[in-house]
Amino acid sequence: MIDRPDGTVLELFKLPDVPPVDVRAMQAIQLHLAIECDDPKAETDRLVEAGAEFVGECPRNAYPGEKYFVRDPWGLVLQVINRGENLQTR
């Protein structure tokens, strides 16, 4: 669990009696967790060096900036991004 001072909480867990979702069978764009950072390429390289699998660049959309997909060792896709625009003010 990640619990930040600003009140943001992120919790990932698995219920022991429920079959897991096969996230590896899903396309990256279908289910991912977006992580914003200043240098997506450097962060993607760091994650791959630490054991993540590089999936590729994200499809282009209306949001500017760099976007990459990596898959963590458990199969969850992380979108490493720098949108260049705050979504909260959109």
Side-chain angles (χ1 to χ4, degrees):
M1 176 183 290
I2 300 171
D3 191 355
R4 294 181 39 172
D6 68 1
T8 302
V9 175
L10 173 64
E11 180 180 31
L12 302 174
F13 68 95
K14 178 190 176 308
L15 295 172
D17 298 334
V18 177
V21 174
D22 186 2
V23 294
R24 290 191 177 276
M26 301 175 84
Q27 293 183 26
I29 198 72
Q30 289 178 288
L31 176 68
H32 62 267
L33 177 64
I35 307 293
E36 189 163 17
C37 64
D38 292 331
D39 189 346
K41 178 69 172 116
E43 190 62 22
T44 297
D45 291 345
R46 186 187 72 76
L47 290 167
V48 168
E49 184 142 329
E53 171 191 345
F54 182 74
V55 176
E57 284 194 45
C58 300
R60 292 287 150 204
N61 57 26
Y63 301 112
E66 289 181 279
K67 306 171 197 79
Y68 301 97
F69 282 136
V70 297
R71 194 176 295 274
D72 75 11
W74 298 274
L76 180 64
V77 172
L78 304 175
Q79 182 187 45
V80 185
I81 61 171
N82 182 343
R83 285 194 168 100
E85 178 179 344
N86 187 332
L87 292 181
Q88 295 175 346
T89 60
R90 199 159 219 267

